[in-house]
Amino acid sequence: MSTPQQPPSGVTLDVDHSDPGYRDWLKEAVRRVQADANRSADTHLLRFPLPERWNVHLYLKDESTHPTGSLKHRLARSLFLYGLCNGWIRPGRPVIEASSGSTAVSEAYFAKLIGVPFIAVMPRTTSAEKCRLIEFHGGRCHFVDDPRTMYEASSVLAAETGGHYMDQFTYAERATDWRGNNNIAESIFRQLESEPFPVPEWIVATAGTGGTSATLARYVHYMQYDTRVCVADPENSCFFEGWTTGDPDVTCDSGSRIEGIGRPRMEPSFVPGAIDRMMKVPDAAAVAAVRALEQAIGRKAGGSTGTGLWSALRIVAEMVAEGRQGSVVTLLCDPGDRYLDKYYSDAWLADQGLEIAPHTASIETLLRTGAWPD
């Protein structure tokens, strides 16, 4: 595993940090990344319509409105600042990242912003739209057949090119300022201040790197809120098993069908002890949830949003059954137009053997009766 003291690629740095030219380049690069944050307005907090008589409010933090269209824009900005300030990202040398798509889109944007090349190491099954967006922002896609080999392939590319392997799966939880500084957690609580239940009962996140759930949970503990954090895990991911068994070495043999979340190993940025609960979510249920979301608010979203929304709806059902009032927050991670050939394609569902009708019926039953069918 990489350490903060050395560049993750293992490449010996060949830049004289006292050189005025390098220092000028570094200051300008940091300024550009920080300026992006100053130009970006906060993302919206949307209401998912629930019957008023329940007095339970469900919100989605809409991260799809970032300049690169996903939750990963925050992470990419933090990773670039972390790499720049550590002296790992250098002028003219490529940044390499292992990613299933959205992080790579955002990192390609920031690489272009500071004028360095970018290479995304990705599963060959990554959606065509994500690949197009990476290339639109000036990046290059390097495909692997087995998602488990992304890490090694990224390290090799960094060594061959003299570049920097960003390694989001190790550094996500370190690069983000979890105490505040307008992170996603602070933003959620600020936006809820005037709502009927300003301190949510639950915040539901999903895990790719684990960095978002770590930021949310740490902030909640730091601010001494009673909010609990639940992480929803898709099929073909080991986070749930690792959390329930306490085994940090657990793995699984196949990659997640829900792009952006679910991992074949327990990633270093996943902090099991910080969170309160996990749910295992069937992939078919996640797809049913994003289609229900479109019917409810007229917005398409990706499968990671559906995974979190399914868990949030289960929590809502528990609250209604117990007569508890309050609020629940989950995340709208990225837009559904990146997945029209997957989660919104009946042909893809059939090819994958996914039957969403029973899960759609469960959601409809909840919204009609307030009860979750057994």
Side-chain angles (χ1 to χ4, degrees):
M1 185 185 301
S2 306
T3 63
Q5 289 75 29
Q6 296 294 328
S9 62
V11 175
T12 301
L13 297 181
D14 55 2
V15 173
D16 180 1
H17 286 196
S18 64
D19 176 68
Y22 168 73
R23 299 289 294 195
D24 288 344
W25 177 87
L26 177 60
K27 286 189 286 186
E28 176 62 13
V30 170
R31 185 199 65 77
R32 291 185 182 188
V33 176
Q34 290 180 331
D36 172 84
N38 292 336
R39 291 192 302 270
S40 299
D42 203 355
T43 60
H44 303 297
L45 199 61
L46 308 177
R47 281 280 300 272
F48 185 99
L50 298 176
E52 290 295 328
R53 66 182 183 277
W54 297 355
N55 215 11
V56 176
H57 296 179
L58 175 57
Y59 303 86
L60 292 103
K61 178 69 167 164
D62 184 7
E63 295 292 285
S64 71
T65 57
H66 283 295
T68 53
S70 83
L71 169 68
K72 299 300 185 180
H73 193 85
R74 293 181 191 266
L75 172 59
R77 183 193 295 128
S78 296
L79 288 168
F80 265 80
L81 287 173
Y82 193 69
L84 286 165
C85 294
N86 283 338
W88 295 345
I89 299 173
R90 294 160 288 161
R93 299 297 181 87
V95 169
I96 295 98
E97 183 62 284
S99 171
S100 60
S102 286
T103 301
V105 173
S106 298
E107 289 188 9
Y109 168 92
F110 283 105
K112 184 177 182 180
L113 190 68
I114 67 171
V116 297
F118 178 76
I119 305 171
V121 179
M122 309 163 66
R124 199 171 297 280
T125 55
T126 301
S127 73
E129 177 61 13
K130 283 184 179 177
C131 299
R132 184 193 70 79
L133 288 169
I134 290 165
E135 293 171 351
F136 172 79
H137 290 299
R140 177 166 69 87
C141 299
H142 178 95
F143 296 107
V144 295
D145 293 316
D146 185 346
R148 293 171 295 179
T149 66
M150 290 195 306
Y151 318 96
E152 182 181 358
S154 298
S155 293
V156 169
L157 273 174
E160 291 176 348
T161 61
H164 168 58
Y165 171 26
M166 192 72 91
D167 194 0
Q168 60 167 321
F169 298 106
T170 294
Y171 293 97
E173 57 91 8
R174 306 180 195 182
T176 301
D177 188 351
W178 52 267
R179 294 176 185 87
N181 195 22
N182 196 35
N183 66 27
I184 189 171
E186 183 181 56
S187 175
I188 287 170
F189 280 90
R190 186 175 61 249
Q191 290 174 309
L192 285 172
E193 286 177 351
S194 298
E195 296 297 304
F197 304 103
V199 177
E201 292 286 308
W202 287 92
I203 298 177
V204 180
T206 51
T209 63
T212 299
S213 61
T215 297
L216 291 165
R218 286 167 167 170
Y219 183 81
V220 163
H221 300 322
Y222 180 69
M223 296 300 294
Q224 303 163 53
Y225 292 126
D226 290 329
T227 302
R228 287 164 290 176
V229 174
C230 173
V231 173
D233 201 36
E235 297 176 26
N236 303 324
S237 175
C238 69
F239 286 132
F240 180 84
E241 183 181 354
W243 185 79
T244 54
T245 64
D247 182 3
D249 297 319
V250 68
T251 61
C252 63
D253 294 331
S254 55
S256 172
R257 282 181 293 210
I258 306 299
E259 288 190 23
I261 61 171
R263 300 300 304 156
R265 70 176 192 182
M266 289 284 280
E267 299 294 353
S269 280
F270 182 65
V271 185
I275 63 176
D276 302 284
R277 180 179 183 179
M278 289 199 72
M279 285 193 196
K280 198 70 176 177
V281 178
D283 291 348
V287 175
V290 292
R291 294 191 177 192
L293 177 67
E294 183 182 16
Q295 291 184 348
I297 68 171
R299 295 281 299 279
K300 284 185 169 69
S304 56
T305 300
T307 304
L309 179 58
W310 176 265
S311 293
L313 289 170
R314 294 295 302 263
I315 289 172
V316 166
E318 293 170 2
M319 293 175 65
V320 172
E322 296 167 8
R324 291 188 288 119
Q325 302 174 356
S327 59
V328 179
V329 180
T330 187
L331 308 179
L332 200 166
C333 303
D334 63 356
D337 56 10
R338 296 181 176 183
Y339 310 99
L340 296 180
D341 59 343
K342 287 192 172 185
Y343 314 128
Y344 293 90
S345 166
D346 292 338
W348 182 84
L349 291 177
D351 182 66
Q352 296 294 314
L354 296 177
E355 177 55 61
I356 69 171
H359 305 291
T360 300
S362 294
I363 295 172
E364 291 173 346
T365 299
L366 167 66
L367 297 178
R368 185 177 66 254
T369 69
W372 194 269
D374 294 329

